[in-house]
């Protein structure tokens, strides 16, 4: 399985539980996905600001997936796992069942539309009013 991620640029987005975070291993495989800010800075905690986000590898999951057919068939038959149920993130089912998710990194941000506020920002972007 494969997916895409992009660096966070703003602390407000990094703290937003609707923007899923992914920690990526050096070899490009996903270590974990979460709605919580991660990696979590023990020293800064909730005081993480834009400068900290710019200086540290924090990645936003873009939610685009590529599957091999056999993995997709197996995935569909697996029950939801513990962490998937807690975080409400289906990709954790893949990791918890021992499969890898390769993460491609891109500098091209996207606008995810998961909430009514996201839809408003997307409409603004279409009209050229959102940065």
């Amino acid at each position: 399985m494969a997916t895409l991620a992009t660096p966070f640029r703003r602390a407000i987005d990094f703290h937003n539980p609707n923007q899923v975070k992914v920690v990526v291993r050096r070899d490009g495989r996903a270590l974990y996905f979460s709605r919580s800010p991660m990696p979590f800075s023990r020293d800064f905690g909730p005081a993480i600001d834009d400068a900290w986000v710019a200086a540290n590898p924090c990645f936003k999951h873009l939610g685009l997936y590529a599957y091999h057919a056999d993995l997709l068939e197996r995935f569909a038959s697996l029950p939801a796992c513990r962490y998937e149920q807690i975080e409400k993130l289906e990709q954790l089912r893949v990791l918890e069942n021992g499969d890898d998710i390769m993460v491609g990194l891109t500098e091209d941000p996207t606008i995810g539309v998961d909430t009514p506020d996201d839809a408003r920002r997307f409409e603004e972007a279409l009209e050229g009013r959102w940065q």
Side-chain angles (χ1 to χ4, degrees), residues 70-117:
D70 61 331
L71 175 62
L72 185 56
E73 286 179 24
R74 195 164 28 88
F75 174 82
S77 68
L78 294 170
C81 71
R82 176 180 174 206
Y83 298 114
E84 175 185 4
Q85 292 173 343
I86 292 169
E87 297 259 15
K88 305 297 188 229
L89 296 172
E90 69 281 351
Q91 62 271 40
L92 294 175
R93 187 182 324 171
V94 173
L95 295 179
E96 191 165 345
N97 281 283
D99 289 294
D100 291 327
I101 300 176
M102 296 303 298
V103 181
L105 300 179
T106 178
E107 291 294 323
D108 296 324
T110 64
I111 299 172
V113 182
D114 299 309
T115 67
D117 193 45

Side-chain angles (χ1 to χ4, degrees), residues 28-46:
R29 292 180 295 153
L31 182 61
Y32 193 74
F33 294 83
S34 183
R35 294 182 179 282
S36 297
M38 63 174 208
F40 181 80
S41 172
R42 186 183 71 171
D43 294 337
F44 290 94

Side-chain angles (χ1 to χ4, degrees), residues 16-38:
N16 183 341
N18 293 312
Q19 295 195 29
V20 176
K21 292 79 180 167
V22 58
V23 171
V24 182
R25 297 175 183 217
R26 289 182 189 188
D27 66 2
R29 292 180 295 153
L31 182 61
Y32 193 74
F33 294 83
S34 183
R35 294 182 179 282
S36 297
M38 63 174 208

